[in-house]
């Protein structure tokens, strides 16, 4: 059996890293808070993919358990984040990051 | 058995083709999430991303997580996102940056440098180490001495035996998050009066 023919962890690691970078670019460049939360979800999911890949690669289920916990925490995080967005929209009528300037001096 | 062997190789190359298809879909929908102007369409791209990721989990042999991915992300989190998008009046965003040219160049240069460095590091992983062997099996042993080899059983035994405290703490965290989200999002009566 040719070992090289198998799907290696390396390809999945590169894919997960590219997805993570796209998420970082989204967090840095976008100004809509909902899209920023979505980019955070992208980053969390790319790390999940890496966990699953290594868990399968080394035949150890701890990685998959970690993914379960990450999923639960991501659900809690997006619930709190969206509640904060609703509160911000109620006060400023906008969900752009430029709208949150109440603590600014000028 | 030569027939079995050729079938095996075809199976592997089929898996690789599927992997590259899903990788293409995932990267495309991630780019769509980040760069589409309309947040509703970003959310729809995010749905496609989650479904593609579930397919990827199933491909590399984590079927339980594929199911949970669809249930939790597509079923719960995306509904939450779309609900908030519906509640909040959205306008399309323009991409004019408030940063100066120098700041923008610095950010882009730093990010791409970090990206290249990390990519070079990742490519040092030797192929052939930690391959995703579809025949690889996880095992655990029950107290009664019985060996368990089914992946779902192994994961649930690990979850409810070795990580029970973490599991309970996660449920507590979810409860706190739900109560907190309601408290944050509800109308502040006293401030209105």
């Amino acid at each position: 059996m040719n070992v090289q023919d198998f799907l290696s962890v390396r390809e999945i690691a590169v894919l997960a890293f590219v997805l993570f970078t796209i998420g970082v670019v989204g967090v840095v460049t976008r100004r809509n808070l909902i899209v920023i939360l979505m980019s955070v979800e992208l980053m969390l999911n790319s790390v999940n993919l890496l966990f699953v890949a290594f868990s399968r690669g080394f035949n150890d289920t701890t990685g998959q358990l970690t993914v379960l916990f990450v999923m639960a925490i991501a659900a809690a995080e997006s619930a709190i984040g969206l509640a904060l967005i609703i509160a911000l929209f109620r006060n400023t009528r906008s969900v752009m990051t430029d709208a949150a300037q109440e603590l600014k001096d000028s | 058995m030569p027939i079995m062997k050729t079938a095996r190789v075809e199976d592997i190359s089929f898996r690789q083709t599927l992997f590259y298809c899903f990788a293409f879909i995932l990267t495309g929908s991630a780019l769509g999430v980040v760069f589409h102007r309309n947040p509703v369409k970003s959310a729809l791209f995010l749905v496609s991303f989650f479904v593609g990721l579930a397919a990827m989990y199933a491909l590399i042999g984590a079927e339980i997580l594929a199911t949970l991915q669809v249930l939790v992300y597509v079923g719960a989190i995306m509904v939450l996102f779309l609900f908030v998008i519906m509640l909040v009046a959205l306008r399309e965003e323009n991409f004019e940056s408030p940063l100066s040219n120098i700041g923008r160049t610095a950010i882009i240069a730093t990010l791409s440098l970090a990206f290249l460095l990390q990519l070079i590091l990742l490519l040092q992983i030797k192929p052939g180490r930690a391959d995703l062997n579809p025949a690889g099996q996880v095992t655990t042993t029950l107290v009664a001495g019985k060996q368990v080899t089914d992946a779902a059983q192994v994961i649930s035994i690990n979850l409810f035996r070795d990580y029970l405290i973490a599991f309970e703490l996660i449920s507590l965290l979810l409860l706190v998050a739900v109560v907190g989200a309601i408290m944050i999002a509800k109308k502040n009566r006293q401030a209105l009066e």
Side-chain angles (χ1 to χ4, degrees):
Chain A
M1 200 184 301
N2 190 358
V3 178
Q4 296 281 332
D5 279 341
F6 274 125
L7 203 55
S8 160
V9 165
R10 186 171 78 163
E11 279 94 358
I12 298 182
V14 171
L15 172 68
F17 176 59
V18 169
L19 295 177
F20 188 85
T21 314
I22 294 173
V24 171
V25 169
V27 171
V28 172
T29 59
R30 294 301 297 258
R31 272 181 289 159
N32 190 328
L33 279 171
I34 296 178
V35 180
I36 289 179
L37 260 187
M38 287 183 201
S39 306
V40 171
E41 294 290 331
L42 279 187
M43 289 155 71
L44 283 168
N45 274 284
S46 66
V47 176
N48 276 354
L49 178 61
L50 202 59
F51 267 122
V52 175
F54 277 105
S55 155
R56 287 292 300 153
F58 294 110
N59 267 334
D60 185 349
T61 52
T62 315
Q64 299 189 36
L65 285 171
T66 315
V67 171
L68 282 182
F69 291 133
V70 171
M71 276 182 184
I73 291 177
E77 169 255 336
S78 62
I80 295 282
L82 289 169
L84 283 174
I85 289 175
I86 288 180
L88 180 74
F89 182 77
R90 196 166 268 146
N91 285 327
T92 63
R93 293 280 128 198
S94 167
V95 289
M96 300 291 160
T97 46
D98 324 355
Q101 286 185 336
E102 259 178 37
L103 296 183
K104 217 176 183 178
D105 247 354
S106 55
Chain B
M1 286 187 288
I3 301 170
M4 283 286 286
K5 220 164 209 172
T6 51
R8 198 63 181 273
V9 169
E10 275 168 15
D11 191 37
I12 290 163
S13 72
F14 180 60
R15 273 159 51 92
Q16 277 187 331
T17 317
L18 269 186
F19 171 77
Y20 286 115
C21 289
F22 288 139
F24 184 74
I25 292 173
L26 282 176
T27 319
S29 14
L31 285 173
V33 172
V34 170
F35 290 114
H36 208 287
R37 278 160 183 272
N38 190 344
V40 181
K41 285 179 186 158
S42 283
L44 294 180
F45 273 118
L46 196 59
V47 173
S48 130
F49 177 83
F50 286 151
V51 174
L53 203 61
M56 186 71 89
Y57 287 164
L59 180 70
I60 62 183
E63 291 86 4
I64 308 165
L65 284 180
T67 318
L68 279 176
Q69 173 86 11
V70 173
L71 282 179
V72 173
Y73 277 105
V74 185
I77 294 185
M78 281 323 296
V79 172
L80 206 61
F81 268 103
L82 287 171
F83 198 66
V84 171
I85 289 176
M86 182 197 78
L87 284 179
V88 170
L90 286 173
R91 58 187 157 87
E92 296 208 344
E93 180 181 0
N94 59 344
F95 278 95
E96 278 171 28
S97 164
L99 289 174
S100 64
N101 268 332
I102 300 173
R104 209 179 313 153
T105 323
I107 288 177
I108 290 172
T110 318
L111 273 182
S112 34
L113 192 67
F115 178 79
L116 281 180
L117 272 180
Q118 183 70 35
L119 204 60
I120 290 169
L121 280 180
L122 278 179
L123 290 176
Q124 304 293 316
I125 302 175
K126 288 191 183 62
R129 263 193 64 90
D131 289 313
L132 301 176
N133 190 342
Q137 275 198 329
V138 289
T139 52
T140 190
T141 313
L142 292 177
V143 182
K146 197 180 154 205
Q147 283 268 331
V148 176
T149 52
D150 185 47
Q153 285 181 343
V154 173
I155 288 177
S156 18
I157 287 170
N158 273 337
L159 182 61
F160 291 112
R161 190 183 62 192
D162 306 334
Y163 292 89
L164 185 62
I165 297 176
F167 181 78
E168 297 294 341
L169 284 180
I170 280 285
S171 61
L172 189 67
L173 174 85
L174 278 173
L175 178 69
V176 172
V178 167
V179 176
I182 293 171
M183 285 303 292
I184 292 171
K186 79 170 187 182
K187 257 188 194 134
N188 196 346
R189 289 267 161 75
Q190 288 175 336
L192 284 177
E193 283 164 4

